[in-house]
Amino acid sequence: MRFTHSMLGAAALAALSVGATTALAAPASAAPNTTPQKVCGSGYKTVNSAAIGSLGTVYLTYNAANGNNCVVTIRSNPGTAVDMSAWIYVPDTNEGDDDYGRYTSYAGPSYVIGKGHCVDWGGVIANTYVQVTGSNCASLKEHRSTYTR
């Protein structure tokens, strides 16, 4: 599936608007000790993360064996389903993946081939959004944005 950066932002807002009135299927309930590796797979190592306020964390992981990145958003305190997302986008290749819905403990996994490229990624829990752009590429400085709507 192909994405543009603006499509991801629009999809996030649309999904959150729809999610407020529609219950979507949630992934299997996760234990409070859910880790990015449990969600993405055992070959994935955490290479970056960003706090989503006090609500949880969005993790960027990488699998050196296949060149894939995976993003997952994990709540600090699982509970009643809330709007959540995990997304990743590679500007160089215009490839991305996302998971938006109402979940009890985590959103994702979202995968993309990111080897040799900078990635943009982020997540949402309830009404708090985190976006990291130009990430995990040695020659550029990443930019982080956090906001509550």
Side-chain angles (χ1 to χ4, degrees):
M1 183 173 240
R2 294 198 173 265
F3 294 87
T4 65
H5 195 62
S6 60
M7 282 176 55
L8 287 171
L13 293 176
L16 292 173
S17 297
V18 170
T21 58
T22 306
L24 301 174
S29 181
N33 63 352
T34 295
T35 66
Q37 290 70 34
K38 287 181 181 177
V39 179
C40 292
S42 62
Y44 288 83
K45 306 292 182 212
T46 299
V47 294
N48 211 331
S49 64
I52 303 177
S54 62
L55 301 174
T57 304
V58 57
Y59 296 91
L60 173 66
T61 66
Y62 181 71
N63 184 322
N66 62 20
N68 281 342
N69 284 103
C70 174
V71 173
V72 62
T73 300
I74 301 175
R75 288 173 64 179
S76 299
N77 297 302
T80 304
V82 297
D83 292 325
M84 293 183 68
S85 74
W87 63 269
I88 186 165
Y89 174 69
V90 181
D92 290 349
T93 63
N94 199 33
E95 296 292 329
D97 191 25
D98 59 70
D99 180 33
Y100 297 95
R102 293 183 60 78
Y103 300 125
T104 59
S105 60
Y106 68 91
S110 296
Y111 297 97
V112 71
I113 295 173
K115 184 175 184 174
H117 301 283
C118 300
V119 295
D120 298 346
W121 53 281
V124 174
I125 300 175
N127 62 348
T128 302
Y129 304 72
V130 170
Q131 174 177 304
V132 181
T133 57
S135 175
N136 292 72
C137 44
S139 63
L140 299 175
K141 181 161 177 59
E142 72 183 22
H143 176 72
R144 291 179 182 229
S145 302
T146 302
Y147 61 96
T148 301
R149 183 170 184 239

